[in-house]
Amino acid sequence: MKKNVVLLLMLFPLFLYGQVGNEVPVKNGKVVFSETILTPKKAGEIKDTVLKWLEEDFLPGKGAIANVDTINNMIVCRVMETLTMEKKDWHQFVMHMRYTLVVECKTNQCVLTVNNIGYIEPEALQTSKDNIAVYSAESVLIDRQYKEAFIKDPIDKIQKATINNIED
């Protein structure tokens, strides 16, 4: 069991490596990162292993489990991470990236999907908890509709930081 947990955890950071590069994966007009990991385990065993890892290592301080479907062996998490894209003495370019992580555990495979990606400016979280402006990944990465004063090519920086964050 311990050997399989280690193997799964070693593969998790690489789960999107093969598809990302500089391209943003789009499915039905939405930005969706997805990868299937093959494993010799049964669905319930995979779910238990992933659930433990999520609760103990991945989610503390940055997210929560929204749903655990024990019948279909599916886990849904909401995650928010900070992307620091540029740091200068007088200014830094930071965005919070909010997304949904869906883990579908099937016999001999684990399907990991990152979707519902949105970006939030740090100032928005500091000023209001009710009406927070969220820029969708589609508007930023596909439609390229985001501007930031004093930052050259902010969309390219957000795209690169998003891909690097998901790869890590």
Side-chain angles (χ1 to χ4, degrees):
M1 173 72 176
K2 187 175 181 180
K3 178 180 170 187
N4 294 320
V5 171
V6 170
L7 178 62
L8 183 62
L9 295 179
M10 284 174 37
L11 292 175
F12 188 77
L14 301 174
F15 86 94
L16 297 171
Y17 180 75
Q19 70 183 12
V20 289
N22 286 328
E23 297 282 325
V24 174
V26 178
K27 183 177 182 180
N28 298 325
K30 301 284 186 185
V31 175
V32 178
F33 293 87
S34 183
E35 185 66 32
T36 300
I37 298 173
L38 301 177
T39 176
K41 294 293 182 183
K42 293 184 181 187
E45 294 173 291
I46 298 168
K47 178 189 60 76
D48 293 341
T49 300
V50 171
L51 190 58
K52 182 178 180 186
W53 177 76
L54 287 168
E55 291 173 333
E56 294 178 5
D57 298 315
F58 184 71
L59 291 174
K62 63 181 175 182
I65 295 173
N67 186 33
V68 177
D69 181 341
T70 55
I71 295 169
N72 295 311
N73 292 306
M74 183 182 282
I75 305 166
V76 178
C77 305
R78 291 296 292 159
V79 183
M80 186 173 326
E81 299 186 81
T82 302
L83 303 177
T84 302
M85 290 149 291
E86 187 172 289
K87 216 174 197 180
K88 295 184 177 180
D89 292 337
W90 57 277
H91 186 280
Q92 65 179 12
F93 181 33
V94 175
M95 294 282 274
H96 297 290
M97 182 174 78
R98 183 177 74 181
Y99 60 91
T100 301
L101 171 64
V102 179
V103 183
E104 297 176 76
C105 305
K106 303 174 184 178
T107 298
N108 298 325
Q109 66 179 352
C110 179
V111 181
L112 303 162
T113 305
V114 172
N115 59 22
N116 299 324
I117 302 169
Y119 303 98
I120 303 168
E121 294 173 330
E123 298 80 22
L125 286 179
Q126 295 170 359
T127 58
S128 172
K129 296 285 183 196
D130 299 326
N131 231 356
I132 298 173
V134 178
Y135 300 93
S136 72
E138 293 75 29
S139 68
V140 175
L141 303 177
I142 298 172
D143 300 334
R144 313 215 27 103
Q145 296 178 351
Y146 181 80
K147 293 188 188 312
E148 174 72 21
F150 307 112
I151 302 295
K152 182 180 178 186
D153 303 321
I155 294 171
D156 294 338
K157 288 178 169 67
I158 293 170
Q159 179 174 328
K160 182 179 178 184
T162 298
I163 292 169
N164 288 341
N165 187 64
I166 291 174
E167 282 181 351
D168 289 343

PDB file of all heavy atoms in Angstrom, residues 47 50-51 54-55 59 63-79 100-105:
ATOM      1  N   LYS A  47      -9.272   5.938  -4.571  1.00  0.00           N
ATOM      2  CA  LYS A  47     -10.000   7.036  -3.922  1.00  0.00           C
ATOM      3  C   LYS A  47      -9.491   7.261  -2.506  1.00  0.00           C
ATOM      4  O   LYS A  47      -9.235   8.392  -2.098  1.00  0.00           O
ATOM      5  CB  LYS A  47     -11.502   6.759  -3.888  1.00  0.00           C
ATOM      6  CG  LYS A  47     -12.289   7.863  -3.176  1.00  0.00           C
ATOM      7  CD  LYS A  47     -13.732   7.496  -2.936  1.00  0.00           C
ATOM      8  CE  LYS A  47     -13.956   6.301  -2.108  1.00  0.00           C
ATOM      9  NZ  LYS A  47     -13.776   6.361  -0.688  1.00  0.00           N
ATOM     10  N   VAL A  50      -5.947   8.853  -2.634  1.00  0.00           N
ATOM     11  CA  VAL A  50      -5.993  10.255  -3.074  1.00  0.00           C
ATOM     12  C   VAL A  50      -6.641  11.120  -2.000  1.00  0.00           C
ATOM     13  O   VAL A  50      -6.170  12.227  -1.714  1.00  0.00           O
ATOM     14  CB  VAL A  50      -6.729  10.384  -4.421  1.00  0.00           C
ATOM     15  CG1 VAL A  50      -6.968  11.846  -4.777  1.00  0.00           C
ATOM     16  CG2 VAL A  50      -5.942   9.685  -5.522  1.00  0.00           C
ATOM     17  N   LEU A  51      -7.705  10.645  -1.394  1.00  0.00           N
ATOM     18  CA  LEU A  51      -8.403  11.405  -0.357  1.00  0.00           C
ATOM     19  C   LEU A  51      -7.477  11.710   0.814  1.00  0.00           C
ATOM     20  O   LEU A  51      -7.420  12.848   1.299  1.00  0.00           O
ATOM     21  CB  LEU A  51      -9.633  10.628   0.114  1.00  0.00           C
ATOM     22  CG  LEU A  51     -10.615  11.348   1.009  1.00  0.00           C
ATOM     23  CD1 LEU A  51     -11.153  12.602   0.339  1.00  0.00           C
ATOM     24  CD2 LEU A  51     -11.767  10.421   1.365  1.00  0.00           C
ATOM     25  N   LEU A  54      -4.968  14.359  -0.343  1.00  0.00           N
ATOM     26  CA  LEU A  54      -5.595  15.674  -0.439  1.00  0.00           C
ATOM     27  C   LEU A  54      -5.760  16.297   0.944  1.00  0.00           C
ATOM     28  O   LEU A  54      -5.411  17.459   1.158  1.00  0.00           O
ATOM     29  CB  LEU A  54      -6.966  15.570  -1.117  1.00  0.00           C
ATOM     30  CG  LEU A  54      -6.962  15.316  -2.626  1.00  0.00           C
ATOM     31  CD1 LEU A  54      -8.357  14.934  -3.103  1.00  0.00           C
ATOM     32  CD2 LEU A  54      -6.442  16.528  -3.376  1.00  0.00           C
ATOM     33  N   GLU A  55      -6.299  15.532   1.884  1.00  0.00           N
ATOM     34  CA  GLU A  55      -6.582  16.047   3.224  1.00  0.00           C
ATOM     35  C   GLU A  55      -5.323  16.395   4.003  1.00  0.00           C
ATOM     36  O   GLU A  55      -5.291  17.392   4.728  1.00  0.00           O
ATOM     37  CB  GLU A  55      -7.404  15.032   4.016  1.00  0.00           C
ATOM     38  CG  GLU A  55      -8.804  14.856   3.502  1.00  0.00           C
ATOM     39  CD  GLU A  55      -9.560  13.732   4.192  1.00  0.00           C
ATOM     40  OE1 GLU A  55      -8.928  12.772   4.685  1.00  0.00           O
ATOM     41  OE2 GLU A  55     -10.792  13.809   4.219  1.00  0.00           O
ATOM     42  N   LEU A  59      -4.334  20.028   0.212  1.00  0.00           N
ATOM     43  CA  LEU A  59      -5.344  21.061   0.454  1.00  0.00           C
ATOM     44  C   LEU A  59      -5.134  21.974   1.660  1.00  0.00           C
ATOM     45  O   LEU A  59      -5.615  23.109   1.626  1.00  0.00           O
ATOM     46  CB  LEU A  59      -6.734  20.429   0.556  1.00  0.00           C
ATOM     47  CG  LEU A  59      -7.271  19.853  -0.757  1.00  0.00           C
ATOM     48  CD1 LEU A  59      -8.572  19.122  -0.502  1.00  0.00           C
ATOM     49  CD2 LEU A  59      -7.454  20.940  -1.789  1.00  0.00           C
ATOM     50  N   GLY A  63      -7.332  25.013   0.131  1.00  0.00           N
ATOM     51  CA  GLY A  63      -8.565  24.503  -0.445  1.00  0.00           C
ATOM     52  C   GLY A  63      -9.317  23.584   0.482  1.00  0.00           C
ATOM     53  O   GLY A  63      -8.945  23.382   1.629  1.00  0.00           O
ATOM     54  N   ALA A  64     -10.401  23.043  -0.061  1.00  0.00           N
ATOM     55  CA  ALA A  64     -11.257  22.157   0.718  1.00  0.00           C
ATOM     56  C   ALA A  64     -11.927  21.152  -0.207  1.00  0.00           C
ATOM     57  O   ALA A  64     -12.131  21.414  -1.393  1.00  0.00           O
ATOM     58  CB  ALA A  64     -12.325  22.967   1.455  1.00  0.00           C
ATOM     59  N   ILE A  65     -12.274  20.036   0.372  1.00  0.00           N
ATOM     60  CA  ILE A  65     -13.033  19.033  -0.367  1.00  0.00           C
ATOM     61  C   ILE A  65     -14.489  19.466  -0.363  1.00  0.00           C
ATOM     62  O   ILE A  65     -15.080  19.701   0.685  1.00  0.00           O
ATOM     63  CB  ILE A  65     -12.853  17.640   0.262  1.00  0.00           C
ATOM     64  CG1 ILE A  65     -11.388  17.207   0.118  1.00  0.00           C
ATOM     65  CG2 ILE A  65     -13.796  16.633  -0.386  1.00  0.00           C
ATOM     66  CD1 ILE A  65     -11.019  15.947   0.835  1.00  0.00           C
ATOM     67  N   ALA A  66     -15.063  19.582  -1.545  1.00  0.00           N
ATOM     68  CA  ALA A  66     -16.457  20.001  -1.681  1.00  0.00           C
ATOM     69  C   ALA A  66     -17.402  18.813  -1.673  1.00  0.00           C
ATOM     70  O   ALA A  66     -18.530  18.907  -1.188  1.00  0.00           O
ATOM     71  CB  ALA A  66     -16.643  20.802  -2.970  1.00  0.00           C
ATOM     72  N   ASN A  67     -16.934  17.675  -2.208  1.00  0.00           N
ATOM     73  CA  ASN A  67     -17.797  16.507  -2.290  1.00  0.00           C
ATOM     74  C   ASN A  67     -16.961  15.245  -2.443  1.00  0.00           C
ATOM     75  O   ASN A  67     -15.979  15.233  -3.178  1.00  0.00           O
ATOM     76  CB  ASN A  67     -18.749  16.648  -3.492  1.00  0.00           C
ATOM     77  CG  ASN A  67     -19.785  15.536  -3.550  1.00  0.00           C
ATOM     78  OD1 ASN A  67     -20.233  15.032  -2.533  1.00  0.00           O
ATOM     79  ND2 ASN A  67     -20.155  15.150  -4.750  1.00  0.00           N
ATOM     80  N   VAL A  68     -17.395  14.192  -1.759  1.00  0.00           N
ATOM     81  CA  VAL A  68     -16.815  12.868  -1.941  1.00  0.00           C
ATOM     82  C   VAL A  68     -17.975  11.939  -2.278  1.00  0.00           C
ATOM     83  O   VAL A  68     -18.868  11.726  -1.460  1.00  0.00           O
ATOM     84  CB  VAL A  68     -16.077  12.362  -0.682  1.00  0.00           C
ATOM     85  CG1 VAL A  68     -15.546  10.954  -0.903  1.00  0.00           C
ATOM     86  CG2 VAL A  68     -14.955  13.307  -0.295  1.00  0.00           C
ATOM     87  N   ASP A  69     -17.968  11.429  -3.489  1.00  0.00           N
ATOM     88  CA  ASP A  69     -19.001  10.503  -3.947  1.00  0.00           C
ATOM     89  C   ASP A  69     -18.442   9.092  -3.813  1.00  0.00           C
ATOM     90  O   ASP A  69     -17.646   8.651  -4.640  1.00  0.00           O
ATOM     91  CB  ASP A  69     -19.358  10.826  -5.396  1.00  0.00           C
ATOM     92  CG  ASP A  69     -20.456   9.934  -5.963  1.00  0.00           C
ATOM     93  OD1 ASP A  69     -20.706   8.849  -5.399  1.00  0.00           O
ATOM     94  OD2 ASP A  69     -21.046  10.328  -6.989  1.00  0.00           O
ATOM     95  N   THR A  70     -18.854   8.390  -2.765  1.00  0.00           N
ATOM     96  CA  THR A  70     -18.309   7.059  -2.499  1.00  0.00           C
ATOM     97  C   THR A  70     -18.877   6.001  -3.442  1.00  0.00           C
ATOM     98  O   THR A  70     -18.248   4.964  -3.648  1.00  0.00           O
ATOM     99  CB  THR A  70     -18.563   6.642  -1.043  1.00  0.00           C
ATOM    100  OG1 THR A  70     -19.962   6.730  -0.778  1.00  0.00           O
ATOM    101  CG2 THR A  70     -17.804   7.531  -0.085  1.00  0.00           C
ATOM    102  N   ILE A  71     -20.025   6.276  -4.035  1.00  0.00           N
ATOM    103  CA  ILE A  71     -20.607   5.312  -4.980  1.00  0.00           C
ATOM    104  C   ILE A  71     -19.842   5.343  -6.299  1.00  0.00           C
ATOM    105  O   ILE A  71     -19.497   4.307  -6.854  1.00  0.00           O
ATOM    106  CB  ILE A  71     -22.107   5.599  -5.206  1.00  0.00           C
ATOM    107  CG1 ILE A  71     -22.861   5.367  -3.900  1.00  0.00           C
ATOM    108  CG2 ILE A  71     -22.670   4.748  -6.332  1.00  0.00           C
ATOM    109  CD1 ILE A  71     -24.287   5.841  -3.895  1.00  0.00           C
ATOM    110  N   ASN A  72     -19.581   6.543  -6.811  1.00  0.00           N
ATOM    111  CA  ASN A  72     -18.870   6.691  -8.089  1.00  0.00           C
ATOM    112  C   ASN A  72     -17.374   6.906  -7.922  1.00  0.00           C
ATOM    113  O   ASN A  72     -16.671   7.140  -8.909  1.00  0.00           O
ATOM    114  CB  ASN A  72     -19.469   7.853  -8.890  1.00  0.00           C
ATOM    115  CG  ASN A  72     -20.899   7.572  -9.281  1.00  0.00           C
ATOM    116  OD1 ASN A  72     -21.220   6.504  -9.795  1.00  0.00           O
ATOM    117  ND2 ASN A  72     -21.786   8.510  -9.013  1.00  0.00           N
ATOM    118  N   ASN A  73     -16.883   6.886  -6.676  1.00  0.00           N
ATOM    119  CA  ASN A  73     -15.460   7.076  -6.381  1.00  0.00           C
ATOM    120  C   ASN A  73     -14.915   8.356  -7.014  1.00  0.00           C
ATOM    121  O   ASN A  73     -13.930   8.353  -7.749  1.00  0.00           O
ATOM    122  CB  ASN A  73     -14.647   5.858  -6.823  1.00  0.00           C
ATOM    123  CG  ASN A  73     -14.963   4.653  -5.978  1.00  0.00           C
ATOM    124  OD1 ASN A  73     -14.884   4.706  -4.750  1.00  0.00           O
ATOM    125  ND2 ASN A  73     -15.357   3.565  -6.612  1.00  0.00           N
ATOM    126  N   MET A  74     -15.592   9.456  -6.708  1.00  0.00           N
ATOM    127  CA  MET A  74     -15.208  10.757  -7.253  1.00  0.00           C
ATOM    128  C   MET A  74     -15.007  11.743  -6.105  1.00  0.00           C
ATOM    129  O   MET A  74     -15.767  11.749  -5.146  1.00  0.00           O
ATOM    130  CB  MET A  74     -16.295  11.266  -8.198  1.00  0.00           C
ATOM    131  CG  MET A  74     -15.955  12.564  -8.875  1.00  0.00           C
ATOM    132  SD  MET A  74     -17.302  13.140  -9.934  1.00  0.00           S
ATOM    133  CE  MET A  74     -17.088  12.094 -11.345  1.00  0.00           C
ATOM    134  N   ILE A  75     -13.986  12.580  -6.237  1.00  0.00           N
ATOM    135  CA  ILE A  75     -13.693  13.613  -5.251  1.00  0.00           C
ATOM    136  C   ILE A  75     -13.658  14.953  -5.983  1.00  0.00           C
ATOM    137  O   ILE A  75     -13.023  15.079  -7.036  1.00  0.00           O
ATOM    138  CB  ILE A  75     -12.324  13.367  -4.577  1.00  0.00           C
ATOM    139  CG1 ILE A  75     -12.259  11.966  -3.962  1.00  0.00           C
ATOM    140  CG2 ILE A  75     -12.040  14.439  -3.530  1.00  0.00           C
ATOM    141  CD1 ILE A  75     -10.862  11.516  -3.591  1.00  0.00           C
ATOM    142  N   VAL A  76     -14.338  15.951  -5.409  1.00  0.00           N
ATOM    143  CA  VAL A  76     -14.340  17.291  -5.984  1.00  0.00           C
ATOM    144  C   VAL A  76     -13.790  18.254  -4.937  1.00  0.00           C
ATOM    145  O   VAL A  76     -14.252  18.255  -3.792  1.00  0.00           O
ATOM    146  CB  VAL A  76     -15.763  17.726  -6.408  1.00  0.00           C
ATOM    147  CG1 VAL A  76     -15.746  19.143  -6.970  1.00  0.00           C
ATOM    148  CG2 VAL A  76     -16.356  16.740  -7.412  1.00  0.00           C
ATOM    149  N   CYS A  77     -12.811  19.057  -5.324  1.00  0.00           N
ATOM    150  CA  CYS A  77     -12.186  20.024  -4.417  1.00  0.00           C
ATOM    151  C   CYS A  77     -12.245  21.417  -5.029  1.00  0.00           C
ATOM    152  O   CYS A  77     -12.157  21.574  -6.241  1.00  0.00           O
ATOM    153  CB  CYS A  77     -10.715  19.682  -4.193  1.00  0.00           C
ATOM    154  SG  CYS A  77     -10.421  18.017  -3.608  1.00  0.00           S
ATOM    155  N   ARG A  78     -12.357  22.424  -4.163  1.00  0.00           N
ATOM    156  CA  ARG A  78     -12.218  23.820  -4.566  1.00  0.00           C
ATOM    157  C   ARG A  78     -10.881  24.297  -4.012  1.00  0.00           C
ATOM    158  O   ARG A  78     -10.599  24.108  -2.830  1.00  0.00           O
ATOM    159  CB  ARG A  78     -13.361  24.674  -4.020  1.00  0.00           C
ATOM    160  CG  ARG A  78     -14.695  24.386  -4.646  1.00  0.00           C
ATOM    161  CD  ARG A  78     -14.767  24.707  -6.120  1.00  0.00           C
ATOM    162  NE  ARG A  78     -14.681  26.136  -6.335  1.00  0.00           N
ATOM    163  CZ  ARG A  78     -14.326  26.706  -7.474  1.00  0.00           C
ATOM    164  NH1 ARG A  78     -14.023  25.992  -8.511  1.00  0.00           N
ATOM    165  NH2 ARG A  78     -14.268  27.996  -7.589  1.00  0.00           N
ATOM    166  N   VAL A  79     -10.094  24.893  -4.878  1.00  0.00           N
ATOM    167  CA  VAL A  79      -8.733  25.280  -4.511  1.00  0.00           C
ATOM    168  C   VAL A  79      -8.494  26.746  -4.896  1.00  0.00           C
ATOM    169  O   VAL A  79      -8.986  27.204  -5.924  1.00  0.00           O
ATOM    170  CB  VAL A  79      -7.697  24.384  -5.241  1.00  0.00           C
ATOM    171  CG1 VAL A  79      -6.279  24.733  -4.824  1.00  0.00           C
ATOM    172  CG2 VAL A  79      -7.985  22.902  -5.003  1.00  0.00           C
ATOM    173  N   THR A 100     -11.450  24.238  -9.725  1.00  0.00           N
ATOM    174  CA  THR A 100     -12.032  22.995  -9.226  1.00  0.00           C
ATOM    175  C   THR A 100     -11.127  21.853  -9.666  1.00  0.00           C
ATOM    176  O   THR A 100     -10.741  21.778 -10.837  1.00  0.00           O
ATOM    177  CB  THR A 100     -13.450  22.776  -9.794  1.00  0.00           C
ATOM    178  OG1 THR A 100     -14.269  23.879  -9.412  1.00  0.00           O
ATOM    179  CG2 THR A 100     -14.066  21.491  -9.275  1.00  0.00           C
ATOM    180  N   LEU A 101     -10.786  20.988  -8.731  1.00  0.00           N
ATOM    181  CA  LEU A 101     -10.038  19.771  -9.022  1.00  0.00           C
ATOM    182  C   LEU A 101     -10.995  18.603  -8.861  1.00  0.00           C
ATOM    183  O   LEU A 101     -11.579  18.424  -7.790  1.00  0.00           O
ATOM    184  CB  LEU A 101      -8.852  19.617  -8.062  1.00  0.00           C
ATOM    185  CG  LEU A 101      -8.101  18.283  -8.106  1.00  0.00           C
ATOM    186  CD1 LEU A 101      -7.442  18.070  -9.465  1.00  0.00           C
ATOM    187  CD2 LEU A 101      -7.069  18.219  -6.986  1.00  0.00           C
ATOM    188  N   VAL A 102     -11.177  17.843  -9.928  1.00  0.00           N
ATOM    189  CA  VAL A 102     -12.056  16.672  -9.898  1.00  0.00           C
ATOM    190  C   VAL A 102     -11.180  15.441 -10.074  1.00  0.00           C
ATOM    191  O   VAL A 102     -10.383  15.359 -11.013  1.00  0.00           O
ATOM    192  CB  VAL A 102     -13.115  16.737 -11.021  1.00  0.00           C
ATOM    193  CG1 VAL A 102     -14.007  15.498 -10.983  1.00  0.00           C
ATOM    194  CG2 VAL A 102     -13.940  18.003 -10.909  1.00  0.00           C
ATOM    195  N   VAL A 103     -11.332  14.485  -9.161  1.00  0.00           N
ATOM    196  CA  VAL A 103     -10.586  13.235  -9.220  1.00  0.00           C
ATOM    197  C   VAL A 103     -11.598  12.112  -9.391  1.00  0.00           C
ATOM    198  O   VAL A 103     -12.426  11.876  -8.511  1.00  0.00           O
ATOM    199  CB  VAL A 103      -9.748  13.004  -7.944  1.00  0.00           C
ATOM    200  CG1 VAL A 103      -8.922  11.735  -8.071  1.00  0.00           C
ATOM    201  CG2 VAL A 103      -8.861  14.206  -7.647  1.00  0.00           C
ATOM    202  N   GLU A 104     -11.552  11.447 -10.534  1.00  0.00           N
ATOM    203  CA  GLU A 104     -12.431  10.316 -10.801  1.00  0.00           C
ATOM    204  C   GLU A 104     -11.595   9.049 -10.696  1.00  0.00           C
ATOM    205  O   GLU A 104     -10.658   8.858 -11.469  1.00  0.00           O
ATOM    206  CB  GLU A 104     -13.039  10.414 -12.192  1.00  0.00           C
ATOM    207  CG  GLU A 104     -13.933  11.611 -12.396  1.00  0.00           C
ATOM    208  CD  GLU A 104     -14.416  11.704 -13.819  1.00  0.00           C
ATOM    209  OE1 GLU A 104     -15.322  10.934 -14.177  1.00  0.00           O
ATOM    210  OE2 GLU A 104     -13.859  12.541 -14.553  1.00  0.00           O
ATOM    211  N   CYS A 105     -11.952   8.203  -9.750  1.00  0.00           N
ATOM    212  CA  CYS A 105     -11.207   6.978  -9.507  1.00  0.00           C
ATOM    213  C   CYS A 105     -11.963   5.808 -10.115  1.00  0.00           C
ATOM    214  O   CYS A 105     -13.097   5.531  -9.739  1.00  0.00           O
ATOM    215  CB  CYS A 105     -11.015   6.780  -8.013  1.00  0.00           C
ATOM    216  SG  CYS A 105     -10.247   8.191  -7.193  1.00  0.00           S
TER     217      CYS A 105
END
